[in-house]
Amino acid sequence: MSHIDLMAGPPPTHLPEDPAAADLAAGTSPVDAVRSHPDSPFAWAALAEQALEQGADDVTVYAYSRVGYHRSLDMLRRNGWKGHGPVPWEHAPNRGFLRALALLAKSARAIGEQAEWDRCSEFLRDSSPTAYDELLD
């Protein structure tokens, strides 16, 4: 009889390659990546990061990162994620989701939405402690 570890939790989720990641790496602008791949967490996270770097209003960064976060949830669910469990930073295709989630947490804090900051930063830590350390101050 085989032994099943009921305390092990769900296996890590590994998202498939996001075509927008290659486009962005090749020099496509974030806005053009979003236009070409509107369901891409990578594209929305890149757009949010660009807005932040260019000094956009925190509400704009929040909106872009929220879209990336929701696109990520859709993608995670399509790939077997059940609402919890590891989404490792070490698997590069997961980084669009993790970056969008970190940006959502930071921009929520910036606009004074403490409950959203708490929820998103905890979700990031639970998904990937490495991403939490890399992406949140």
Side-chain angles (χ1 to χ4, degrees):
M1 180 193 281
S2 66
H3 173 68
I4 298 173
D5 185 355
L6 298 176
M7 300 302 285
T13 299
H14 294 108
L15 294 173
E17 290 294 326
D18 185 330
D23 290 356
L24 290 160
T28 300
S29 72
V31 73
D32 287 339
V34 165
R35 285 188 178 114
S36 296
H37 308 283
D39 61 344
S40 166
F42 265 92
W44 285 102
L47 190 58
E49 288 167 342
Q50 180 184 59
L52 184 63
E53 290 166 5
Q54 293 177 346
D57 184 89
D58 295 326
V59 173
T60 300
V61 177
Y62 180 88
Y64 291 157
S65 58
R66 181 160 277 293
V67 173
Y69 167 74
H70 280 283
R71 294 298 189 158
S72 298
L73 293 178
D74 295 340
M75 187 177 286
L76 285 164
R77 289 181 187 113
R78 282 193 308 270
N79 286 278
W81 184 75
K82 303 292 186 209
H84 67 285
V87 184
W89 173 259
E90 294 75 13
H91 181 70
N94 290 347
R95 292 182 182 180
F97 156 64
L98 296 165
R99 287 172 36 221
L101 180 57
L103 285 158
L104 180 58
K106 286 191 220 182
S107 59
R109 182 176 55 189
I111 66 171
E113 192 175 355
Q114 185 64 39
E116 182 84 340
W117 155 258
D118 292 341
R119 184 183 66 78
C120 290
S121 60
E122 182 178 324
F123 185 15
L124 182 63
R125 187 182 313 109
D126 291 346
S127 296
S128 173
T130 303
Y132 181 89
D133 291 343
E134 286 281 327
L135 301 171
L136 291 185
D137 301 329

